Amino acid sequence: MGGLRAFISALRRRDLRKGSWSLSKNLGVAAIIVAVALFYLGTIRDGLQGGGDYAMYVQHAKNLATGSPYAETGYIMNPHYRDLGPQSYPPGYPLLLAPIYRWRGVDLGVMKVQGILLFIAFLPLYFVLIRKELSRAYALVALLITGLCPVFWVYKENISSDFAFLPFLFAGLLLIDRHNRGKARRLPWLLFGLMVSLVVWSASAVRSLGLTVIPALLLLDVLRRRKISGFAVLVTVATGALVLLQGALFPGTGSSIDLLWPIDPGVVWYSAVKYVKAATAVWSNGYFPPLRVALFGLTGLAAVWSFVRRIRGQATIVETFIPFYVIAIIVFPLGSSRYLLPLIPLYVFYILLTFESVTSSLAPRARGSALAALVCIILAVYGARYTSLDYGPLEGPAKSAHTEDLFQYIRAATGETDVFVARRPRVLSLYTGRSASVYHQASDDDLWSYFEHIGADYLVSGPEDTDGYRAFIERSADRLEVTHENPQFTVLAVDWTEDLARSPAR
């Protein structure tokens, strides 16, 4: 909409040359977005990538579609291995998946397509947001670089909240930015504030990190007005009320907030280092790692320069959002590079902001040549990376014939109330309807104590098990009975006899 208004405004000024140029660039925006969509949809791989997060989202969606209690997924969180994930997830993404489950069941292909379409929905929001600061040519380049970034392309194979989070987050940032620029006057102040609250809550319902927009909004008011505005108070209170309503409507919904305390400085340092290393993946070319590091160092300095310059000048919601979001992902022991995805488009924005500023003193033709050279370099890096990627089928956790054999056996030969221990408990629960938990690294006695605590009836051994767990199973052969076996998996029944109950391990 912002681009359309700019075009109409240009026509009204009767600047035909500029109006024509704006029209062609608006068509360019559409062309880039359509091209990215076709590229992503045309290169979907069979199978599934990633861990068991998708199974939890699909199980929640199944519960919503069938009217079952939302939090009853069968997953038993191991408090000694909380990195696997919370007991349940926020309802935003499962609400988006629920219609697909009702229509197609566990159709992972259709769910992938939905994720891609959500990413495509984010792109125009991103363009309108950055267009206020960049010239149209640079904003188009930012759109192209972000849309074709191999990091995003790889994540299209996941069924997760990553792509679903982006459009809601950037819609919230865009609406707040429009308010601060005085562009929201056509709607009543109260109505616009409630609309912003709904969008910010939607982002947090998809991923709890969306709530970082709220302190960012409050800080922005302090920086710009030296006081908290009524608009910020309204958005904060209304969003908080929606979060409370969510908790009432979806009891048991979880997040990673309970992992925060106590804050471990070692974990914070580890997370910071890990995220910096992961961020270099934007410039991975698949062949020459030093170039990846060099480009990240150079572009990182450029991005930081523009960010600091804007913070010290006329900050926007983008500048106040980034610090809160970065602190959140570093302090919380989340540890996954996917949490960097919302920062990549902003990183690209700051790089181009610096590049445009540095080249602004050049002649128009020289500026155009410099931008063209930058685009060629980036696309060459992207192209090299794409030539090194695999486009064949993925061996997902539920696609192997041996995995299906395992699930079929569990469904047919075990009781509905039986409890399992497996490397991917959420996947097992989704496809078998049985409760399951994961093991952790501990002594034999501690493992047996945990298994007794959850009432484990079966242990599942598979190709992804740790060497320590395999050794534990070998040492515990007298307490376990093999009930099913295939080339990849073994199901072992736990023998909870009276003698075992009196043993030291108990």
Side-chain angles (χ1 to χ4, degrees), residues 286-323:
Y287 300 98
F288 189 58
L291 179 61
R292 162 181 175 169
V293 176
L295 286 175
F296 178 75
L298 182 62
T299 57
L301 288 174
V304 169
W305 183 78
S306 275
F307 175 80
V308 172
R309 186 164 59 97
R310 289 172 61 78
I311 277 286
R312 297 176 63 181
Q314 190 73 359
T316 69
I317 186 63
V318 173
E319 282 74 48
T320 56
F321 163 74
I322 290 174

Short mmCIF file of all heavy atoms in Angstrom, two decimals, residues 286-323:
data_model
loop_
_atom_site.label_atom_id
_atom_site.label_comp_id
_atom_site.label_asym_id
_atom_site.label_seq_id
_atom_site.Cartn_x
_atom_site.Cartn_y
_atom_site.Cartn_z
N GLY A 286 29.91 -22.18 0.15
CA GLY A 286 29.98 -23.62 -0.04
C GLY A 286 31.34 -24.15 -0.43
O GLY A 286 31.52 -25.36 -0.52
N TYR A 287 32.32 -23.26 -0.69
CA TYR A 287 33.61 -23.72 -1.17
C TYR A 287 34.79 -23.10 -0.42
O TYR A 287 35.79 -23.78 -0.19
CB TYR A 287 33.76 -23.40 -2.67
CG TYR A 287 32.70 -24.04 -3.53
CD1 TYR A 287 31.57 -23.32 -3.95
CD2 TYR A 287 32.81 -25.38 -3.92
CE1 TYR A 287 30.60 -23.90 -4.73
CE2 TYR A 287 31.83 -25.97 -4.71
CZ TYR A 287 30.73 -25.23 -5.11
OH TYR A 287 29.76 -25.82 -5.88
N PHE A 288 34.68 -21.85 -0.05
CA PHE A 288 35.85 -21.14 0.48
C PHE A 288 35.45 -20.43 1.78
O PHE A 288 35.01 -19.26 1.76
CB PHE A 288 36.36 -20.14 -0.55
CG PHE A 288 37.68 -19.52 -0.20
CD1 PHE A 288 38.81 -20.29 0.01
CD2 PHE A 288 37.79 -18.13 -0.07
CE1 PHE A 288 40.03 -19.72 0.34
CE2 PHE A 288 39.00 -17.55 0.26
CZ PHE A 288 40.13 -18.35 0.46
N PRO A 289 35.58 -21.09 2.94
CA PRO A 289 35.15 -20.51 4.22
C PRO A 289 35.76 -19.16 4.56
O PRO A 289 35.06 -18.31 5.15
CB PRO A 289 35.55 -21.59 5.23
CG PRO A 289 35.56 -22.86 4.45
CD PRO A 289 36.03 -22.47 3.09
N PRO A 290 37.05 -18.90 4.26
CA PRO A 290 37.59 -17.59 4.63
C PRO A 290 36.83 -16.41 4.02
O PRO A 290 36.71 -15.35 4.64
CB PRO A 290 39.03 -17.65 4.11
CG PRO A 290 39.38 -19.10 4.13
CD PRO A 290 38.12 -19.80 3.75
N LEU A 291 36.29 -16.59 2.80
CA LEU A 291 35.52 -15.52 2.18
C LEU A 291 34.25 -15.24 2.97
O LEU A 291 33.84 -14.09 3.12
CB LEU A 291 35.17 -15.89 0.74
CG LEU A 291 34.33 -14.87 -0.04
CD1 LEU A 291 35.07 -13.54 -0.15
CD2 LEU A 291 33.96 -15.42 -1.42
N ARG A 292 33.66 -16.28 3.50
CA ARG A 292 32.46 -16.15 4.33
C ARG A 292 32.73 -15.26 5.54
O ARG A 292 31.96 -14.35 5.84
CB ARG A 292 31.99 -17.54 4.74
CG ARG A 292 31.05 -17.63 5.90
CD ARG A 292 30.72 -19.09 6.17
NE ARG A 292 29.89 -19.27 7.35
CZ ARG A 292 29.31 -20.42 7.67
NH1 ARG A 292 29.46 -21.47 6.89
NH2 ARG A 292 28.57 -20.52 8.76
N VAL A 293 33.84 -15.53 6.21
CA VAL A 293 34.20 -14.76 7.40
C VAL A 293 34.55 -13.32 7.03
O VAL A 293 34.15 -12.36 7.71
CB VAL A 293 35.36 -15.43 8.15
CG1 VAL A 293 35.81 -14.59 9.34
CG2 VAL A 293 34.97 -16.84 8.60
N ALA A 294 35.29 -13.15 5.93
CA ALA A 294 35.70 -11.81 5.51
C ALA A 294 34.50 -10.95 5.14
O ALA A 294 34.41 -9.78 5.54
CB ALA A 294 36.67 -11.91 4.34
N LEU A 295 33.57 -11.52 4.39
CA LEU A 295 32.38 -10.76 4.00
C LEU A 295 31.53 -10.41 5.22
O LEU A 295 30.97 -9.30 5.31
CB LEU A 295 31.55 -11.56 3.00
CG LEU A 295 32.10 -11.64 1.58
CD1 LEU A 295 31.25 -12.56 0.72
CD2 LEU A 295 32.17 -10.25 0.95
N PHE A 296 31.44 -11.34 6.15
CA PHE A 296 30.66 -11.05 7.36
C PHE A 296 31.31 -9.94 8.17
O PHE A 296 30.60 -9.05 8.69
CB PHE A 296 30.52 -12.31 8.22
CG PHE A 296 29.77 -12.05 9.50
CD1 PHE A 296 28.40 -11.89 9.50
CD2 PHE A 296 30.45 -11.96 10.71
CE1 PHE A 296 27.71 -11.64 10.68
CE2 PHE A 296 29.77 -11.71 11.90
CZ PHE A 296 28.39 -11.55 11.88
N GLY A 297 32.62 -9.97 8.28
CA GLY A 297 33.30 -8.92 9.01
C GLY A 297 33.11 -7.55 8.38
O GLY A 297 32.80 -6.57 9.07
N LEU A 298 33.24 -7.49 7.06
CA LEU A 298 33.11 -6.22 6.36
C LEU A 298 31.68 -5.70 6.41
O LEU A 298 31.43 -4.53 6.75
CB LEU A 298 33.56 -6.40 4.90
CG LEU A 298 33.54 -5.14 4.02
CD1 LEU A 298 34.50 -4.10 4.57
CD2 LEU A 298 33.90 -5.52 2.58
N THR A 299 30.73 -6.56 6.09
CA THR A 299 29.33 -6.12 6.08
C THR A 299 28.82 -5.89 7.50
O THR A 299 27.95 -5.03 7.72
CB THR A 299 28.44 -7.16 5.38
OG1 THR A 299 28.59 -8.43 6.05
CG2 THR A 299 28.82 -7.31 3.92
N GLY A 300 29.35 -6.65 8.46
CA GLY A 300 28.94 -6.44 9.84
C GLY A 300 29.33 -5.06 10.34
O GLY A 300 28.54 -4.38 11.01
N LEU A 301 30.53 -4.62 10.00
CA LEU A 301 30.97 -3.28 10.38
C LEU A 301 30.08 -2.22 9.72
O LEU A 301 29.72 -1.21 10.34
CB LEU A 301 32.42 -3.07 9.99
CG LEU A 301 33.47 -3.84 10.81
CD1 LEU A 301 34.86 -3.65 10.22
CD2 LEU A 301 33.44 -3.37 12.28
N ALA A 302 29.74 -2.45 8.46
CA ALA A 302 28.87 -1.50 7.75
C ALA A 302 27.50 -1.42 8.41
O ALA A 302 26.94 -0.33 8.58
CB ALA A 302 28.74 -1.92 6.29
N ALA A 303 26.95 -2.57 8.78
CA ALA A 303 25.64 -2.59 9.40
C ALA A 303 25.66 -1.92 10.77
O ALA A 303 24.77 -1.12 11.11
CB ALA A 303 25.14 -4.03 9.53
N VAL A 304 26.67 -2.20 11.56
CA VAL A 304 26.78 -1.60 12.90
C VAL A 304 26.93 -0.08 12.79
O VAL A 304 26.35 0.67 13.59
CB VAL A 304 27.97 -2.21 13.67
CG1 VAL A 304 28.27 -1.42 14.94
CG2 VAL A 304 27.67 -3.67 14.01
N TRP A 305 27.67 0.39 11.79
CA TRP A 305 27.88 1.83 11.61
C TRP A 305 26.54 2.55 11.41
O TRP A 305 26.26 3.56 12.05
CB TRP A 305 28.80 2.09 10.43
CG TRP A 305 29.12 3.53 10.23
CD1 TRP A 305 30.01 4.30 10.94
CD2 TRP A 305 28.53 4.41 9.25
NE1 TRP A 305 30.02 5.59 10.47
CE2 TRP A 305 29.13 5.69 9.44
CE3 TRP A 305 27.59 4.23 8.25
CZ2 TRP A 305 28.79 6.78 8.64
CZ3 TRP A 305 27.24 5.32 7.46
CH2 TRP A 305 27.84 6.56 7.66
N SER A 306 25.70 2.01 10.53
CA SER A 306 24.41 2.65 10.28
C SER A 306 23.49 2.52 11.49
O SER A 306 22.74 3.45 11.82
CB SER A 306 23.73 2.02 9.06
OG SER A 306 24.18 2.64 7.87
N PHE A 307 23.54 1.37 12.15
CA PHE A 307 22.68 1.18 13.32
C PHE A 307 23.01 2.20 14.41
O PHE A 307 22.12 2.86 14.96
CB PHE A 307 22.83 -0.24 13.85
CG PHE A 307 22.08 -0.49 15.13
CD1 PHE A 307 20.73 -0.74 15.12
CD2 PHE A 307 22.74 -0.46 16.36
CE1 PHE A 307 20.02 -0.95 16.30
CE2 PHE A 307 22.06 -0.67 17.54
CZ PHE A 307 20.69 -0.91 17.52
N VAL A 308 24.30 2.34 14.73
CA VAL A 308 24.72 3.28 15.77
C VAL A 308 24.38 4.71 15.37
O VAL A 308 23.91 5.52 16.19
CB VAL A 308 26.23 3.13 16.04
CG1 VAL A 308 26.73 4.24 16.98
CG2 VAL A 308 26.54 1.76 16.63
N ARG A 309 24.58 5.04 14.11
CA ARG A 309 24.29 6.39 13.63
C ARG A 309 22.80 6.72 13.79
O ARG A 309 22.45 7.85 14.16
CB ARG A 309 24.71 6.51 12.16
CG ARG A 309 24.60 7.91 11.58
CD ARG A 309 25.39 8.01 10.29
NE ARG A 309 24.90 7.06 9.31
CZ ARG A 309 24.04 7.36 8.34
NH1 ARG A 309 23.58 8.59 8.23
NH2 ARG A 309 23.66 6.45 7.47
N ARG A 310 21.95 5.74 13.53
CA ARG A 310 20.51 5.98 13.64
C ARG A 310 20.06 6.02 15.10
O ARG A 310 19.16 6.80 15.45
CB ARG A 310 19.75 4.92 12.86
CG ARG A 310 19.90 5.09 11.34
CD ARG A 310 19.30 3.92 10.60
NE ARG A 310 17.90 3.78 10.87
CZ ARG A 310 16.94 4.53 10.33
NH1 ARG A 310 17.25 5.50 9.47
NH2 ARG A 310 15.67 4.34 10.61
N ILE A 311 20.64 5.19 15.94
CA ILE A 311 20.30 5.22 17.37
C ILE A 311 20.64 6.59 17.96
O ILE A 311 19.91 7.14 18.78
CB ILE A 311 21.05 4.10 18.13
CG1 ILE A 311 20.29 2.79 18.01
CG2 ILE A 311 21.23 4.45 19.59
CD1 ILE A 311 19.01 2.71 18.85
N ARG A 312 21.76 7.13 17.53
CA ARG A 312 22.20 8.43 18.05
C ARG A 312 21.44 9.58 17.40
O ARG A 312 21.51 10.72 17.87
CB ARG A 312 23.70 8.60 17.83
CG ARG A 312 24.53 7.56 18.58
CD ARG A 312 25.99 7.69 18.26
NE ARG A 312 26.53 8.97 18.70
CZ ARG A 312 27.78 9.35 18.53
NH1 ARG A 312 28.65 8.52 17.93
NH2 ARG A 312 28.21 10.52 18.94
N GLY A 313 20.75 9.31 16.32
CA GLY A 313 19.99 10.35 15.64
C GLY A 313 18.50 10.18 15.89
O GLY A 313 18.04 10.27 17.02
N GLN A 314 17.75 9.90 14.82
CA GLN A 314 16.31 9.74 14.93
C GLN A 314 15.98 8.26 14.86
O GLN A 314 15.75 7.68 13.81
CB GLN A 314 15.60 10.49 13.79
CG GLN A 314 14.09 10.58 13.94
CD GLN A 314 13.68 11.57 15.03
OE1 GLN A 314 14.52 12.17 15.68
NE2 GLN A 314 12.38 11.72 15.23
N ALA A 315 15.95 7.61 16.03
CA ALA A 315 15.71 6.17 16.09
C ALA A 315 14.27 5.85 15.71
O ALA A 315 13.35 6.66 15.90
CB ALA A 315 16.02 5.66 17.49
N THR A 316 14.07 4.66 15.17
CA THR A 316 12.74 4.14 14.86
C THR A 316 12.53 2.86 15.67
O THR A 316 13.41 2.41 16.40
CB THR A 316 12.60 3.83 13.36
OG1 THR A 316 13.43 2.71 13.03
CG2 THR A 316 13.00 5.04 12.52
N ILE A 317 11.37 2.27 15.52
CA ILE A 317 11.06 1.03 16.24
C ILE A 317 12.04 -0.08 15.89
O ILE A 317 12.32 -0.96 16.70
CB ILE A 317 9.60 0.59 15.95
CG1 ILE A 317 9.21 -0.60 16.81
CG2 ILE A 317 9.41 0.28 14.47
CD1 ILE A 317 9.22 -0.34 18.29
N VAL A 318 12.59 -0.05 14.69
CA VAL A 318 13.56 -1.07 14.28
C VAL A 318 14.81 -1.02 15.16
O VAL A 318 15.31 -2.05 15.63
CB VAL A 318 13.94 -0.92 12.79
CG1 VAL A 318 15.06 -1.88 12.42
CG2 VAL A 318 12.72 -1.15 11.90
N GLU A 319 15.30 0.19 15.41
CA GLU A 319 16.52 0.34 16.21
C GLU A 319 16.30 -0.06 17.67
O GLU A 319 17.21 -0.57 18.31
CB GLU A 319 17.03 1.78 16.15
CG GLU A 319 17.76 2.12 14.88
CD GLU A 319 16.85 2.29 13.69
OE1 GLU A 319 15.83 3.01 13.81
OE2 GLU A 319 17.12 1.68 12.64
N THR A 320 15.11 0.18 18.22
CA THR A 320 14.89 -0.21 19.61
C THR A 320 14.49 -1.68 19.74
O THR A 320 14.70 -2.29 20.79
CB THR A 320 13.79 0.67 20.25
OG1 THR A 320 12.60 0.59 19.47
CG2 THR A 320 14.26 2.11 20.33
N PHE A 321 13.93 -2.24 18.67
CA PHE A 321 13.56 -3.67 18.71
C PHE A 321 14.79 -4.57 18.72
O PHE A 321 14.84 -5.56 19.47
CB PHE A 321 12.68 -4.00 17.50
CG PHE A 321 12.57 -5.47 17.21
CD1 PHE A 321 11.80 -6.29 18.01
CD2 PHE A 321 13.27 -6.04 16.14
CE1 PHE A 321 11.71 -7.66 17.76
CE2 PHE A 321 13.18 -7.40 15.88
CZ PHE A 321 12.40 -8.21 16.69
N ILE A 322 15.77 -4.27 17.91
CA ILE A 322 16.92 -5.16 17.75
C ILE A 322 17.62 -5.46 19.06
O ILE A 322 17.89 -6.65 19.37
CB ILE A 322 17.90 -4.59 16.70
CG1 ILE A 322 17.28 -4.67 15.31
CG2 ILE A 322 19.23 -5.33 16.73
CD1 ILE A 322 18.10 -4.01 14.22
N PRO A 323 17.97 -4.48 19.91
CA PRO A 323 18.67 -4.82 21.16
C PRO A 323 17.87 -5.75 22.06
O PRO A 323 18.43 -6.70 22.63
CB PRO A 323 18.88 -3.46 21.83
CG PRO A 323 18.82 -2.47 20.73
CD PRO A 323 17.83 -3.02 19.76
#
